[in-house]
Structures are given as C-alpha cells and as structure tokens.
Amino acid sequence: MEHAQGSSKSYGPISGALHSYLIELAAQMQALPGEEFEAASIAYKGALAEVERVAELEKYATVTS
C-alpha cells in the first residue's frame, strides 16, 4: 500500500486518527490472499479519499470557528 507510507499532509484530530487506523489496516491487509487483497485495496483507497474529505472539513471548521 503505497499510500500507507509516511505522509506530509497535515491532518486534524479526527482525520489523523482515521489515517493512523488505515495505516495499521494496510499492514494487516498484506496477509490477505490475492483476490481478497485486491478487494480490500479498492476499499482502502476509497477510505483514504474519505479521510482526505474529513481533513478538508476539519480545516474549514477550524477557519470558521
């Protein structure tokens, strides 16, 4: 999982926690057999996109608070 490696993006408290969880999940996914890994990888990429959206919302919430 190339996205699981170190990230320079600044995350807020919620998105940071979610991102950390996904990094741990990616490590566990490595043990899955081929087809299951491929399906999990697609879901993982979708989850990463959601974390990015949460990070954007956190930035917006911080600016408007």
Side-chain angles (χ1 to χ4, degrees):
M1 310 280 12
E2 67 280 351
H3 296 284
Q5 302 306 318
S7 174
S8 60
K9 178 149 178 70
S10 176
Y11 292 103
I14 297 169
S15 57
L18 291 170
H19 189 258
S20 293
Y21 174 76
L22 286 178
I23 290 172
E24 292 176 25
L25 183 63
Q28 294 175 10
M29 286 170 48
Q30 300 299 317
L32 293 173
E35 285 185 17
E36 290 178 23
F37 176 82
E38 292 302 320
S41 180
I42 292 167
Y44 177 84
K45 289 175 185 175
L48 275 178
E50 292 301 318
V51 169
E52 295 300 321
R53 282 182 237 182
V54 170
E56 288 299 314
L57 290 172
E58 285 177 312
K59 271 198 284 186
Y60 180 73
T62 302
V63 170
T64 60
S65 295

